[in-house]
Amino acid sequence: MLKFTLKRLASLVLVLIGVSFLVFMLLSLTPGDPVRMMLGESATPEAQEALRKEMGLDDPLLLQYGRYMKNIVVHQDLGTSYSTQRPVLDEIMNVFPNTVQLAVAAMVIAVILGIFLGIISAVKQNSLLDNIVMVLALIGTSAPIFWIGILMILLFSVQLGWLPPSGFGSFEQLIMPAVALGMQSTAVVARMTRSSMLEVIRQDFVKTARAKGQREIIVILKHVFRNALIPIITVVGLQFGTLLGGAMLTEVVFSIPGVGRLMIEAIKQRDFPIVQGSVLFVAACFSLVNLAVDLLYAVVDPKVSKE
């Protein structure tokens, strides 16, 4: 188990290094001069050159990247925001709890509704109910999050007046963003639950349990669902990581002060340290969630850690 964990940690580090390098190089090719954004259009070329030299922006890209990674590894410093002059990590941590709250609420909806629909669909395979659930899952997977969010605002806020259209902080303000963000994950979890259960439900031990006279609900939950749980755990973990990174559009549509919205505002202002730090932070969260899923998978199925 220790060897398995160390291998996964090594993979995680390599992924984060790759992400940081790719984002750093892509942002260096992005049009726009952050120095000009900071000083304004009226700044003299001498003042711009002095600030660029002070910030090290006139150094070769590889040297800038090496200095950036050294600050992260040695000082846990993601840099300083160009626009607010505050540490990037502080800016991210101010809004990260909102992103986590939104992702957790969306994941709760996805797990409860997705597993329930998946079980119903598997038990009633090829029935009208099964077809309806699969069509809804297909729609949920295909529909863009921002489109779902806009439709929900038009219906529940503008037309019916039941829920606030934007903001964050109360339970009512959390409902629509969580549902909009959780729709795709609900569909993915439902499809995986159905597929996994259908593989198990045909096994001989399930027929034996029924032959012993056990109640159908006991057979489904204790024997079928329990043995179909490993793929479901995997997809739930991956979806939670996806929700953390994919809350960007939801936060923009519903005006939620989260990491995604922070990143969008930073892109508009050419605040590259915020963009780099946010992407790296989200990638680290996604990788840690994947690591936790891998370890949980190994605990549930010890054969995995021995492979």
Side-chain angles (χ1 to χ4, degrees), residues 69-109:
M69 291 303 297
K70 178 183 176 182
N71 289 334
I72 292 177
V73 174
V74 177
H75 305 291
Q76 293 77 52
D77 181 13
L78 292 175
T80 302
S81 169
Y82 290 161
S83 56
T84 65
Q85 297 301 310
R86 295 183 58 196
V88 170
L89 189 58
D90 290 349
E91 295 282 357
I92 294 174
M93 294 311 297
N94 282 339
V95 296
F96 183 62
N98 296 336
T99 299
V100 172
Q101 184 178 351
L102 175 60
V104 169
M107 195 73 257
V108 169
I109 293 173

Side-chain angles (χ1 to χ4, degrees), residues 58 60 67 86 90 93 98 118 149-150 152 159 167 180 202 245 254 257 270 283 293 301:
D58 57 346
R67 185 167 54 237
R86 295 183 58 196
D90 290 349
M93 294 311 297
N98 296 336
I150 292 173
M152 293 183 69
Q159 296 294 330
R202 303 185 183 98
F254 292 97
R270 299 296 189 274
V293 171
D301 187 2

Side-chain angles (χ1 to χ4, degrees), residues 3 51 60 83 91 116-117 137 143 163 165 176 183 232 239 263:
K3 183 179 179 181
L51 181 59
S83 56
E91 295 282 357
F116 175 75
L117 292 176
L163 296 169
M176 284 200 298
M183 284 287 288
I232 299 173
Q239 285 302 307
M263 201 183 310

Side-chain angles (χ1 to χ4, degrees), residues 15-44:
V15 167
L16 293 181
I17 291 175
V19 169
S20 65
F21 181 80
L22 184 62
V23 173
F24 192 92
M25 293 303 168
L26 286 177
L27 287 177
S28 68
L29 301 175
T30 303
D33 186 357
V35 171
R36 186 172 297 178
M37 294 286 292
M38 295 172 67
L39 295 179
E41 296 292 336
S42 60
T44 63

Side-chain angles (χ1 to χ4, degrees), residues 37 81-84 91 95 248 251-253 255-275 278:
M37 294 286 292
S81 169
Y82 290 161
S83 56
T84 65
E91 295 282 357
V95 296
M248 182 184 302
E251 291 173 356
V252 172
V253 171
S255 300
I256 297 173
V259 176
R261 190 178 177 193
L262 175 69
M263 201 183 310
I264 292 295
E265 295 299 324
I267 292 173
K268 292 179 181 178
Q269 299 172 7
R270 299 296 189 274
D271 197 340
F272 294 158
I274 289 286
V275 179
S278 298

